[in-house]
């Protein structure tokens, strides 16, 4: 089955579930707080979504590649690479060099996961659980828990300005990232390989797919996307917070699974995952509008994480 | 990667490795102790060592359950915040002046209910354990905050003192409880059909099912049992600290997983080593205590534990590879 047929079939089954969830949410909020449907809220959802959407792209790729692929270290990676950027900017390093260093840092952090998973042959779950604590802990430890502030004001244009009510980072970072990833997954041999090894790894290996090298690259790509998220958050807040990535692993997993990606790999699309990410952020924004305690959100994300897998079962897949 | 220790002829050889593992862990504990003793005059003080032991209580109890879950190739991330939920319930019960017996039973009951929630989503929902328990982790975390409304339960009366500070023949009750739990766990794992079923499911679930093992009941047992242990840990936690804070149990799950894996468990299942797990807990606690004593900020704790986990796994993987080559030759 080709990737395209897969996407088509998904639209018929799991995608439908997410669309229903979207409708339920929109109608609920529409009746509850009609004022929520304004351009301002629309902009705010876009503003808040970029970080999660970027991370979800990487998470989805890692999961699609199968072999128990999962990246729990994304949150710590976003925090740490953001700290690298903030530190360099505060110390007067040129902006392009600082951005490059940030992306490099994200790639290295991802490569650590990739090396341990693909080369040493350890389970992704336990590797990234270890790096989850290592990265999050490192971010807190090197800063002593305090944010790095004093980043030059002008850096804010990427993260906190809009063009026709659309945040600049959506246009300059998120849309290109989605376009590149979707192109790679649906139009290139690399993308076919991802689905092939996610569906049947032994088979893919036998026909010559470089499974190890691909899997290594998934984690590096996920790391780079985390660094992009770190750039957006640093530029938006004008400070690098060591806890900015908190709960991103939970949310990105929930987004990908809500979007119809099979946790066993080989099945699902980036479009669905992005739709899942926007669902979570829209839900959160709506709840904020309705003055619901923000603590509910973690619980709701957890709930949707489990629900999304259950929905997948009902849709009749493995 | 798959190690089916119950079924194949390698059982004896694996046992040899297991034995060696405990020795390595004890040596590591000793090495860490010597290191910290030379770096800090406080480490070997009786009061500090007692503190290390007391701080290990909850982790020892929860890690026992984690070893069983890992043996079935499962995992439970929700034990930490689950203990938090149980602790909140216990805290309110103590505050309402429930009698000791009622409180002591309430904790385990709440724990078993939470454990069964994990089991239901893993068994009937067929949600992968990591996803199910990660979701429950988030739900419990929200529940704790919502119930407590961001405030601590503090200044609780000493209802639980007889358990926490009590002694039988001059041996602390808590120590007896822990020894009893590990003894029961050891007997169940090594000498009962249930223990064999736990290991067999981790080794190869399909084969276990085909050979007539009740996979559903066994999984309910491991998650329910872990819930029970989490409940017991919550009772002891509330009894010791006499307050319940919003961040209770935050790093418990990771520490339990690290301790079990240090002790010889694998996430791919089929192996469990309870003595190793207990010594693993001690090593984790010695390291945490020592790092505080030599003046490393407590924020580094997570880094150290995460790094310890990864190093252990890498060493395990390398040993496995070397041994595989040795067998091939």
């Amino acid at each position: 089955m080709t990737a395209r047929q897969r996407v088509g079939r998904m639209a018929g089954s799991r995608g439908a579930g997410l669309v229903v969830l979207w409708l339920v949410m929109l109608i609920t909020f529409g009746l509850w707080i009609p004022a929520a449907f304004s351009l301002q809220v629309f902009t705010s959802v876009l503003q808040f979504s970029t970080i999660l959407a970027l991370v979800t792209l990487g998470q989805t790729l890692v999961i699609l590649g199968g072999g128990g692929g999962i990246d729990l270290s994304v949150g710590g990676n976003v925090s740490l690479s953001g700290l690298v950027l903030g530190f360099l900017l505060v110390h007067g390093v040129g902006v392009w060099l600082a951005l490059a260093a940030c992306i490099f840092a994200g790639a290295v952090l991802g490569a650590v996961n990739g090396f341990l998973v693909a080369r040493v042959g350890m389970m992704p779950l336990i590797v990234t659980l270890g790096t989850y604590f290592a990265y999050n802990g490192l971010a807190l430890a090197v800063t002593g828990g305090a944010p790095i502030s004093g980043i030059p004001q002008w850096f804010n244009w990427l993260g906190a300005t809009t063009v026709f009510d659309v945040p600049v980072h959506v246009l300059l970072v998120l849309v290109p990232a989605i376009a590149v990833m979707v192109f790679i997954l649906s139009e290139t041999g690399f993308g076919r390989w991802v689905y092939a090894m996610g569906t049947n790894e032994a088979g893919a290996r036998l026909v010559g797919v470089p499974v190890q090298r691909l899997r290594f690259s998934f984690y590096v790509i996920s790391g780079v996307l985390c660094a992009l998220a770190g750039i957006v958050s640093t530029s938006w807040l004008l400070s690098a917070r060591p806890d900015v990535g908190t709960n991103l692993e939970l949310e990105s997993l929930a987004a990908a699974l809500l979007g119809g990606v099979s946790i066993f790999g080989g099945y699902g699309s980036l479009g669905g995952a992005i739709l899942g990410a926007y669902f979570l952020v829209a839900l959160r924004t709506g709840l904020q509008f309705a003055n619901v305690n923000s603590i509910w959100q973690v619980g709701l994300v957890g709930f949707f994480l489990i629900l999304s897998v259950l929905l997948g079962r009902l849709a009749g897949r493995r | 990667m798959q190690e089916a220790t119950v079924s194949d002829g390698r059982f004896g050889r694996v046992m040899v490795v297991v034995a060696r593992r405990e020795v390595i862990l004890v040596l590591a504990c000793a090495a860490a102790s010597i290191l910290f003793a030379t770096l800090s005059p406080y480490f070997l003080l009786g009061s500090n060592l007692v503190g290390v032991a007391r701080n290990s209580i909850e982790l020892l109890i929860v890690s026992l359950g984690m070893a069983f879950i890992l043996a079935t190739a499962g995992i439970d991330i929700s034990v930490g915040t689950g203990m938090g939920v149980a602790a909140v319930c216990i805290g309110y019960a103590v505050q309402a002046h429930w009698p000791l017996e009622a409180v002591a039973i309430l904790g385990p009951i709440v724990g078993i209910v939470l454990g069964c929630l994990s089991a239901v989503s893993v068994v009937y929902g067929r949600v992968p354990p990591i996803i199910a328990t990660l979701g429950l982790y988030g739900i419990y975390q929200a529940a704790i905050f919502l119930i407590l409304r961001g405030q601590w339960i503090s200044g609780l009366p000493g209802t639980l003192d007889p358990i926490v500070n009590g002694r039988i023949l001059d041996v602390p009750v808590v120590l007896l409880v822990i020894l009893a739990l590990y003894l029961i766990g050891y007997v169940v794992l090594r000498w009962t059909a249930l223990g064999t079923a736990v290991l067999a499911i981790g080794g190869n679930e399909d084969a276990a099912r085909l050979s007539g093992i009740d996979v559903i009941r066994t999984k309910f047992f491991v998650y329910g049992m872990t819930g029970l242990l989490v409940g017991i840990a919550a009772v002891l936690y509330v009894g010791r600290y006499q307050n319940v804070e919003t961040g209770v149990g935050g790093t418990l799950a990771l520490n339990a997983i690290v301790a079990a894996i240090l002790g010889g468990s694998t996430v791919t299942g089929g192996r469990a080593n309870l003595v190793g797990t207990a010594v693993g807990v001690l090593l984790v606690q010695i390291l945490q205590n020592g790092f505080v004593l030599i003046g490393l900020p407590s924020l580094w704790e997570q880094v150290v534990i995460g790094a310890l986990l990864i190093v252990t796994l890498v060493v395990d993987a390398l040993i496995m590879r070397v041994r595989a080559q040795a067998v091939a030759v």
Side-chain angles (χ1 to χ4, degrees):
Chain A
M1 189 190 300
T2 68
R4 202 168 312 200
Q5 280 169 315
R6 266 175 204 296
V7 173
R9 208 172 78 176
M10 191 216 118
S13 59
R14 264 290 267 300
L18 183 58
V19 169
V20 171
L21 277 179
W22 260 103
L23 288 178
V24 169
M25 178 181 68
L26 290 177
I27 293 170
T28 311
F29 280 133
L31 298 174
W32 190 6
I33 28 169
F37 290 86
S38 65
L39 194 59
Q40 187 202 346
V41 173
F42 174 72
T43 306
S44 137
V45 169
L46 285 182
Q47 175 75 31
F48 278 92
S49 302
T50 301
I51 294 172
L52 177 58
L54 286 168
V55 173
T56 303
L57 284 177
Q59 185 75 264
T60 305
L61 180 65
V62 168
I63 297 176
L64 280 179
I70 194 169
D71 191 349
L72 298 175
S73 72
V74 287
N77 194 337
V78 172
S79 304
L80 266 183
S81 48
L83 286 173
V84 169
L85 176 65
F87 179 83
L88 293 178
L89 285 177
V90 167
H91 287 77
V93 175
V95 64
W96 293 111
L97 187 60
L99 289 176
C102 170
I103 291 173
F104 182 70
V108 169
L109 294 175
V112 171
N113 290 329
F115 176 79
L116 293 174
V117 170
R119 296 281 156 188
V120 186
M122 290 154 52
M123 290 286 289
L125 162 64
I126 202 76
V127 168
T128 58
L129 192 66
T131 50
Y132 161 84
F133 278 89
Y135 294 172
N136 275 314
L138 206 58
L140 283 171
V142 293
T143 57
I148 298 178
S149 49
I151 293 166
Q153 191 73 38
W154 54 262
F155 187 60
N156 186 301
W157 70 271
L158 177 67
T161 54
T162 57
V163 177
F164 297 115
D165 292 306
V166 177
V168 171
H169 56 73
V170 172
L171 300 173
L172 285 186
V173 182
L174 182 59
V175 171
I178 293 178
V180 169
M181 291 294 290
V182 167
F183 176 80
I184 288 178
L185 264 191
S186 56
E187 303 298 332
T188 67
F190 181 93
R192 300 289 146 83
W193 282 350
V194 173
Y195 284 102
M197 66 184 270
T199 314
N200 183 348
E201 185 168 333
R205 206 186 294 266
L206 285 176
V207 297
V209 176
V211 169
Q212 272 196 353
R213 226 178 312 157
L214 282 177
R215 186 155 288 148
F216 178 78
S217 77
F218 299 159
Y219 288 92
V220 175
I221 294 172
S222 172
V224 168
L225 288 162
C226 288
L228 292 178
I231 293 173
V232 169
S233 90
T234 308
S235 158
W236 174 18
L237 305 170
L238 269 190
S239 71
R241 280 174 31 203
D243 59 348
V244 74
T246 308
N247 282 334
L248 270 179
E249 62 292 327
L250 193 65
E251 293 178 0
S252 62
L253 270 175
L257 298 185
L258 271 174
V261 177
S262 162
I263 186 66
F264 300 105
Y267 187 96
S269 72
L270 289 175
I274 294 295
L275 213 58
Y278 275 98
F279 171 79
L280 290 178
V281 176
L283 180 74
R284 186 163 66 193
T285 312
L287 288 177
Q288 261 161 10
F289 235 77
N291 269 330
V292 173
N293 192 330
S294 62
I295 294 303
W296 272 99
Q297 291 155 16
V298 193
L300 278 174
V301 172
F303 170 74
F304 278 113
L305 184 62
I306 297 177
L307 180 74
S308 57
V309 181
L310 289 177
L311 281 179
R313 300 270 176 258
L314 292 179
R317 284 189 297 98
R318 191 171 72 95
Chain B
M1 286 292 269
Q2 300 258 326
E3 286 266 347
T5 61
V6 279
S7 50
D8 59 17
R10 293 185 301 180
F11 184 70
R13 199 165 62 244
V14 171
M15 282 307 288
V16 172
V17 177
V18 160
R20 212 188 299 155
R21 186 166 197 106
E22 289 141 10
V23 175
I24 293 171
L25 279 175
V26 171
L27 289 179
C29 285
S33 302
I34 293 170
L35 178 72
F36 292 131
T38 48
L39 289 174
S40 161
Y42 302 107
F43 183 78
L44 283 181
L45 288 184
S47 57
N48 185 56
L49 294 180
V50 170
V52 172
R54 289 187 72 105
N55 282 334
S56 313
I57 292 173
E58 287 89 16
L59 191 55
L60 273 171
I61 295 176
V62 173
S63 299
L64 175 60
M66 192 63 82
F68 271 83
I69 292 184
L70 288 172
T72 64
I75 198 165
D76 194 343
I77 307 285
S78 72
V79 288
T81 48
M83 187 184 95
V85 171
V88 169
C89 296
I90 295 163
Y92 279 123
V94 173
Q95 208 166 39
H97 296 288
W98 284 27
L100 170 67
E101 294 79 9
V103 177
I105 291 171
L106 175 71
I109 289 177
V110 173
I112 290 175
V113 170
L114 298 181
C116 287
L117 268 182
S118 301
V120 166
S121 31
V122 170
V123 172
Y124 291 114
R126 284 189 292 146
V127 182
I130 175 70
I131 301 295
T133 57
L134 201 60
L136 289 173
Y137 163 86
I139 293 173
Y140 296 161
Q141 197 179 37
I144 295 170
F145 271 92
L146 287 173
I147 301 171
L148 291 178
R149 296 180 189 284
Q151 288 174 331
W152 293 25
I153 305 176
S154 53
L156 292 173
T159 314
L160 293 167
D161 280 350
I163 298 181
V164 180
N165 297 324
R167 282 165 184 270
I168 296 174
L169 298 177
D170 219 32
V171 182
V173 173
V174 175
L175 182 62
L176 291 176
V177 169
I178 292 175
L179 284 178
L181 290 174
Y182 270 84
L183 192 65
I184 295 171
Y186 191 87
V187 169
V188 168
L189 193 64
R190 289 291 166 219
W191 289 319
T192 68
L194 186 58
T196 310
V198 167
L199 291 171
I201 289 174
N204 185 338
E205 187 168 331
D206 290 328
R209 184 179 295 113
L210 289 175
S211 54
I213 288 172
D214 191 338
V215 174
I216 293 178
R217 209 170 57 192
T218 311
K219 284 193 173 173
F220 262 92
F221 165 73
V222 289
Y223 286 98
M225 180 196 88
T226 304
L228 168 74
L229 294 170
V230 165
I232 295 173
V235 171
L236 296 177
Y237 175 91
V238 176
R240 277 181 339 111
Y241 294 101
Q242 303 207 335
N243 66 40
V244 183
E245 41 148 342
T246 47
V248 49
T251 55
L252 187 68
L254 176 81
N255 288 347
I257 293 168
V258 171
I261 288 191
L262 275 174
S265 297
T266 64
V267 277
T268 45
R271 289 169 66 172
N273 179 350
L274 301 185
V275 181
T277 303
V279 186
V281 170
L282 276 184
L283 181 59
V284 168
Q285 291 295 341
I286 288 175
L287 288 178
Q288 288 191 344
N289 176 265
F291 282 123
V292 172
L293 284 184
I294 63 173
L296 200 67
S298 62
L299 290 170
W300 282 95
E301 223 173 71
Q302 283 193 12
V303 188
V304 172
I305 300 297
L308 189 65
L309 176 62
I310 292 171
V311 168
T312 314
L313 289 164
V314 172
V315 171
D316 271 0
L318 291 180
I319 291 176
M320 203 89 86
R321 194 168 296 178
V322 170
R323 198 177 304 134
Q325 280 167 357
V327 171
V329 171

